[in-house]
Amino acid sequence: MDENIFQAYEDEIRALKEEIRLMTEVSKDIRQESTFFSDEEILKSIKSLERKTQGVTKGPACPSCLKPQLGNLENCLLLLMELTGFQFTSHSKKTVEKTRNRMVQKHRLAGKCHSVSFQLEFQLEMQNDEKVSTVICDLSIVMESREDSNVSKFVSSMEERGAILTFFRSLSTYAEWHEHRRRTFQHFKAKYPDIVTLPEGLLGDFIILKNPKVPGFELMIVWKIQLDEEGTTMPVLDLLPKVSKKVLEQMMRSVESLPSSFRSALGVLGIEAAIENLIKVLGSQK
């Protein structure tokens, strides 16, 4: 019985170590480009991670010794998940070729970065001739947002180049913007429930502003998150007024100027302040 428990602990430790290794690589690659964590927060997290990993010992002698080690590894994994937003839900590897100087492994990896799910499948070729070299090939990526033409082009570019770390770095920024948009929509819906509606929910890409006291007039704020083939993420916002014919006749000039005024406010005030200002102006109408 003890041997079975010991083996189960060892298997879990190996799986946790593999997840930590993968997330540490991603963390090192993206931490300098993070826009949602300060340098001080990142350095503090990395130092905390290093202190915890130093306490993990090798070769435990008994099952009871493995419990603290598992706890340390789980804490490290939670820290990396908080820092990067990544959560790996499954990982498997299979050695398909092994010689004295060459080994080929097939990997399958699935997980989420905030609300964006992904699946990867690739081959890792490792050669040890005069120097050790590693090559990634046959990369296949599945993302839930691939129906978006921009995301589809990005995924195809990453697959063609075998650029796994670039994929993770770009996905982190892309998912952070999705999460930022979700939190912003949630904030305004909670603060102005009578004015703000979310026809597609918090994960949609637009909100509707309507003042119950002004029938026949509503504003749609569209917030797209574009991802190009190189992995650069860009939020794109616009304002689309929807006005009944009767209301339009009364306020033609002011309605026509709203989209350009909103775009100008974005540049001066930022996204949240520009939306808040628009809601307050709409709410003041009688």
Side-chain angles (χ1 to χ4, degrees):
M1 182 67 178
D2 287 345
E3 290 184 1
N4 291 336
I5 295 174
F6 183 83
Q7 186 61 48
Y9 277 136
E10 283 206 322
D11 291 344
E12 190 169 352
I13 285 172
R14 279 194 292 270
L16 285 168
K17 283 183 176 179
E18 180 64 20
E19 288 189 58
I20 289 172
R21 184 188 67 79
L22 288 167
M23 294 190 74
T24 301
E25 289 182 7
V26 174
S27 176
K28 287 179 180 178
D29 199 53
I30 68 174
R31 67 189 188 219
Q32 297 300 328
E33 299 185 21
S34 174
T35 58
F36 294 92
F37 294 94
S38 68
D39 291 343
E40 183 179 353
E41 290 174 320
I42 292 172
L43 289 173
K44 183 178 178 181
S45 298
I46 294 300
K47 287 178 180 178
S48 176
L49 173 62
E50 289 172 349
R51 285 196 299 270
K52 291 177 180 179
T53 54
Q54 285 170 1
V56 178
T57 58
K58 295 182 179 180
C62 60
S64 61
C65 300
L66 292 170
K67 289 185 178 180
Q69 185 175 351
L70 277 176
N72 285 335
L73 287 168
E74 288 171 349
N75 287 335
C76 292
L77 190 58
L78 288 172
L79 181 63
L80 283 167
M81 286 167 54
E82 182 180 349
L83 181 62
T84 65
F86 282 99
Q87 179 180 3
F88 295 119
T89 55
S90 67
H91 173 242
S92 65
K93 65 179 178 180
K94 179 181 179 182
T95 301
V96 295
E97 182 182 339
K98 188 174 184 180
T99 64
R100 182 178 179 180
N101 297 321
R102 185 172 184 266
M103 182 168 66
V104 180
Q105 292 179 332
K106 188 171 185 177
H107 291 255
R108 288 188 176 92
L109 182 66
K112 294 181 68 176
C113 186
H114 297 294
S115 62
V116 182
S117 300
F118 62 88
Q119 297 178 37
L120 277 75
E121 186 172 311
F122 59 93
Q123 286 197 164
L124 191 64
E125 297 182 4
M126 294 165 281
Q127 296 189 15
N128 187 9
D129 296 326
E130 295 181 359
K131 62 179 181 178
V132 178
S133 63
T134 304
V135 177
I136 293 171
C137 59
D138 297 336
L139 175 60
S140 175
I141 301 171
V142 176
M143 281 179 63
E144 62 180 17
S145 302
R146 190 161 183 171
E147 65 272 9
D148 184 311
S149 61
N150 291 320
V151 174
S152 182
K153 290 177 182 177
F154 162 72
V155 168
S156 297
S157 175
M158 296 301 103
E159 289 176 335
E160 183 179 343
R161 294 154 54 184
I164 284 185
L165 287 180
T166 301
F167 167 76
F168 280 129
R169 182 177 65 247
S170 301
L171 175 61
S172 177
T173 305
Y174 179 74
E176 283 279 11
W177 271 110
H178 272 266
E179 180 65 12
H180 182 50
R181 181 178 65 185
R182 185 194 69 78
R183 290 195 301 262
T184 302
F185 285 177
Q186 185 178 38
H187 165 75
F188 286 120
K189 177 59 179 174
K191 190 172 182 179
Y192 303 101
D194 296 333
I195 295 178
V196 176
T197 58
L198 301 167
E200 295 185 351
L202 291 173
L203 299 181
D205 59 11
F206 68 93
I207 60 175
I208 300 292
L209 310 180
K210 291 189 293 185
N211 184 340
K213 298 177 181 179
V214 186
F217 178 60
E218 65 181 44
L219 302 172
M220 176 189 289
I221 299 176
V222 181
W223 185 345
K224 299 287 187 180
I225 301 170
Q226 293 186 351
L227 181 65
D228 67 18
E229 295 180 34
E230 298 302 317
T232 302
T233 302
M234 176 68 69
V236 179
L237 288 90
D238 209 347
L239 179 65
L240 304 177
K242 183 179 179 182
V243 190
S244 67
K245 185 177 180 180
K246 182 179 179 180
V247 174
L248 185 61
E249 290 173 351
Q250 297 174 348
M251 47 191 306
M252 170 73 78
R253 184 171 300 176
S254 58
V255 169
E256 287 179 342
S257 66
L258 275 174
S260 60
S261 298
F262 178 68
R263 286 190 289 271
S264 298
L266 285 171
V268 176
L269 303 175
I271 294 173
E272 292 82 1
I275 295 175
E276 176 112 30
N277 186 61
L278 187 64
I279 292 173
K280 287 181 176 179
V281 170
L282 181 62
S284 66
Q285 301 298 313
K286 297 180 180 181

